[in-house]
Amino acid sequence: MCVGSAIVPFSALVSKIVQNTRYLNLSVASDLAEVYQTWQTNLISWDVPNVMSDLDHFGASPTLFAQYDLGSPFLVNFWPTLINIGIGLSTFIACILLQKLFEHSKYEGWAHSLVRKLAAGSFNFAMVQAYACLDDILFYLVIDAKTNPFDSFFSWASMICAVLFLVFGCLLVFFNFWTVNKYQSRKLQGVKALEAFNERNEYWELLYSDFNDDDLWSQSLCYPHHSKHPLKFDNYSLLQLSSDANIILGDF
Amino acid sequence: MQTSYLVIFDGAILLFLYFKNPFNTLRGKFAQYYYEIITLLVHLCTFILSLQDTFKDPSDTVRLIMSTAILYLNTALVCGAIGFMFIEIYKTISEKKRAARLKKQQSVPVDNQESRNLTQTASPFHPSEATSQKRQPWINREQTASIENFHLESGNSQNRNLMTSDLFNTEESSHGLETNFYIENSILSGANSRKRINRQRNQSPVPIMVRQRPQNRNQRQQRNNLRNPNYIINYE
C-alpha cells in the first residue's frame, strides 16, 4: 500500500517558503502587506490553551514577528503544529493496533481495508506536518531562547520541548538519509532483500519510493530539500540586521 | 544580502534536479520543477525589492510590480498544488482500476488450463508427455506466459474471420501452425472433432493464440536464439 506521494510534503514546504517571505524586512505594496497579514501557515489552526497563555511571562517578541501573531514561548508558537502531528500520529497508532487486532482475528473485510487506508493517510498527514515544521522549530527555538526568563516550570518546559523537537527534526533528516542508504544496500543484495525491505518499511515509502533509485543522491531528494530548508533560513529574520531582528540576534 | 543566498540556493536545487534527475515519474518531475521555478521567481522578486530598498530613491512602480508578481506567483503555487493533488488522486484511482482489471485477467490462465484439459479430454490425439517435453525447449516459459496472458480487445472481427479461415481451410496452415492448446491434431482429425473443439471454445470466451511453426528445425532453433517467434492471434 502506498502511503502517498512526496508531492504533498513538497507542496507544503514550498507554500511555507513563499509565505515566509513576509518575515523579510522589505517594503512591499499595500496589497501584498494586507495579504501577508491573512496568510495562514498552518494547515489546521488550533487555539493556544488559556492555561498556557497565562503562564507566559516571556519577554515581548519583536514587532516584526508580533504583527503576524507570533508569540515568544516555543510551545505557544509550535502549538498548532504539535496538535496536528499529535492527531496524525495517534490516529496512525490506533489504526496499527486495530490492524493487529484484525489480523489476530483473521478478519479481512471492508473495515480492515478502511483501517489500512486510514493508517496510511494519517501517517502521511503527520509526515507532511513534520516535514514542513523543521525550519519553524529552529526559528521558534531562537525566539524562545532570546526571550525566555527561565524562572518557571513553563519556561523550562518550553525550552526543553524546543530542544527535543530540534533533535527530533535532525533525526528525521538523518532517518531519511539512513533509509535511502539502506534501500541502496538492499538493492545490491537482490530482489528478495529489496522486497522484504519495502514490506518492512511500508509506511516510510514516502521517503524514497517516488525517486529515481540509481544512486543515493538522486533518491534522497528529501535530504537536500531538508538541508536547503534550514540552511536557507526561511525565517530570514534570524539573519536580518534590522533593529527588530537585532533583538533576536543579539550576541549570535 | 540573504535574498541573494536564497536565489543561489534555488538555482543550486534546480541544477540538482537537472543533473541528478531524482524523480521517476513525469508528473513528479514536472511538479518539482514547477515548485522550484516559482520559488526562484518569488525569491528573485524579493531580491529586487531588497535591492531597491538600498537605493536612495526607490521606485514605487517596481515595488508594485514585484509585490503583484509575488501575489500572482503565490496564487499559481496554490492552484498548481491543487492541480497536482487532483492528478495524483486521478492516477491513484486509475491505477486501482487497472489493478482490478489485471486481477480479472489473471483468471484467464486458469480458464485456459480448464479449456486445455477439456480439449485434451475431447481430442483423441492429444499430445503425449513426450511431445510436450519436445515442445518445451523451443517454447520458453516467458513466451508461453505471454501467450496465455495476452489480452485482446474486441472489435477485430475481420482479422478473426481471416484467421479462422486460414487455420481451418488450408492444408499448409494445418501443418505449419501450432496452437497453445495442443489442438493441431484434433484439427487434422476432421470436421466432427473440429465442431467439438468449437463447441468447447464457445464455452470459454478466451482468445486462442496460435503460433506459426517454423519450416524446419534448424530455422526454428535459429529463431529461438535470435528473435521471438511471430504470433498469430485467433479470436474465438
Side-chain angles (χ1 to χ4, degrees), chain B residues 13 26 33 55-56 62 64 76 83 94 97 111 114 134 154 166 170 176 181 185 210 216 222:
Chain B
I13 285 289
L26 184 68
Y33 273 110
F55 297 161
K56 280 182 184 171
V62 172
L64 189 67
S94 62
K97 274 186 181 173
D111 291 345
E114 284 168 6
K134 267 187 197 169
S154 59
D166 281 352
T170 61
F181 290 76
N185 292 328
V210 183
N216 58 52
Q222 280 172 2

Side-chain angles (χ1 to χ4, degrees), chain B residues 125-138:
Chain B
F125 302 108
H126 71 268
S128 62
E129 281 293 314
T131 318
S132 303
Q133 278 172 6
K134 267 187 197 169
R135 194 181 281 116
Q136 270 174 355
W138 63 280

Side-chain angles (χ1 to χ4, degrees), chain A residues 139-183:
Chain A
F139 178 46
Y140 299 151
L141 173 66
V142 174
I143 296 178
D144 189 298
K146 294 304 291 179
T147 56
N148 199 328
F150 295 107
D151 61 352
S152 61
F153 173 76
F154 177 72
S155 60
W156 278 105
S158 181
M159 179 43 94
I160 289 166
C161 281
V163 173
L164 282 177
F165 278 101
L166 186 68
V167 172
F168 169 76
C170 294
L171 282 176
L172 193 66
V173 174
F174 172 76
F175 186 75
N176 175 29
F177 199 65
W178 183 80
T179 309
V180 174
N181 195 24
K182 199 120 183 162
Y183 176 93

Side-chain angles (χ1 to χ4, degrees), chain B residues 40-106:
Chain B
L40 177 67
L41 290 174
V42 166
H43 286 152
L44 271 173
C45 291
T46 56
F47 175 71
I48 293 167
L49 281 171
S50 65
L51 197 68
Q52 81 142 7
D53 280 350
T54 60
F55 297 161
K56 280 182 184 171
D57 189 19
S59 162
D60 283 342
T61 317
V62 172
R63 183 179 299 143
L64 189 67
I65 290 169
M66 290 302 130
S67 302
T68 314
I70 291 174
L71 278 174
Y72 279 116
L73 285 168
N74 184 59
T75 311
L77 177 72
V78 173
C79 293
I82 292 168
F84 290 127
M85 299 285 174
F86 274 114
I87 291 170
E88 203 65 31
I89 291 165
Y90 169 76
K91 280 280 168 190
T92 310
I93 291 168
S94 62
E95 273 169 21
K96 292 240 178 224
K97 274 186 181 173
R98 202 185 306 151
R101 213 182 302 145
L102 273 172
K103 206 176 174 185
K104 236 181 194 176
Q105 283 172 24
Q106 276 176 0

Side-chain angles (χ1 to χ4, degrees), chain A residues 9-23:
Chain A
F10 284 147
S11 307
L13 277 174
V14 175
S15 304
K16 202 148 192 142
I17 288 169
V18 173
Q19 289 180 1
N20 283 347
T21 53
R22 64 183 173 175
Y23 294 126

Side-chain angles (χ1 to χ4, degrees), chain A residues 115-131:
Chain A
V115 165
R116 273 174 71 83
K117 283 185 173 68
L118 198 63
S122 57
F123 185 81
N124 206 12
F125 177 73
M127 285 291 283
V128 168
Q129 291 294 317
Y131 271 69

Side-chain angles (χ1 to χ4, degrees), chain A residues 4-8 10-11 14-19 21 24-29 31-32 35-36 39 117 209-213 215 217-221 224-225 228 231-234 236-237 239-241, chain B residues 2-3 5-6 9-10 13 16-17 20-25 27-28 31-32 35-36 38-39 42-43 45-47 49-53 63-64 66-68 70-71 73-74 77-78 81 84-85 88 96:
Chain A
S5 168
I7 285 174
V8 181
F10 284 147
S11 307
V14 175
S15 304
K16 202 148 192 142
I17 288 169
V18 173
Q19 289 180 1
T21 53
L24 281 165
N25 197 18
L26 299 169
S27 52
V28 293
D31 285 354
L32 184 59
V35 171
Y36 273 160
W39 269 349
K117 283 185 173 68
S209 66
D210 271 7
F211 308 118
N212 179 3
D213 65 351
D215 62 66
W217 284 102
S218 52
Q219 200 180 10
S220 57
L221 177 66
H225 224 282
K228 181 184 93 165
L231 274 175
K232 279 173 80 172
F233 290 100
D234 286 308
Y236 315 106
S237 305
L239 293 177
Q240 288 278 344
L241 296 174
Chain B
Q2 65 271 30
T3 49
Y5 291 147
L6 297 172
F9 273 119
D10 286 333
I13 285 289
F16 175 83
L17 283 176
K20 293 309 259 182
N21 196 17
F23 282 91
N24 279 327
T25 56
R27 64 180 190 280
Q32 198 58 33
Y35 289 147
E36 290 302 335
I38 282 191
T39 315
V42 166
H43 286 152
C45 291
T46 56
F47 175 71
L49 281 171
S50 65
L51 197 68
Q52 81 142 7
D53 280 350
R63 183 179 299 143
L64 189 67
M66 290 302 130
S67 302
T68 314
I70 291 174
L71 278 174
L73 285 168
N74 184 59
L77 177 72
V78 173
F84 290 127
M85 299 285 174
E88 203 65 31
K96 292 240 178 224

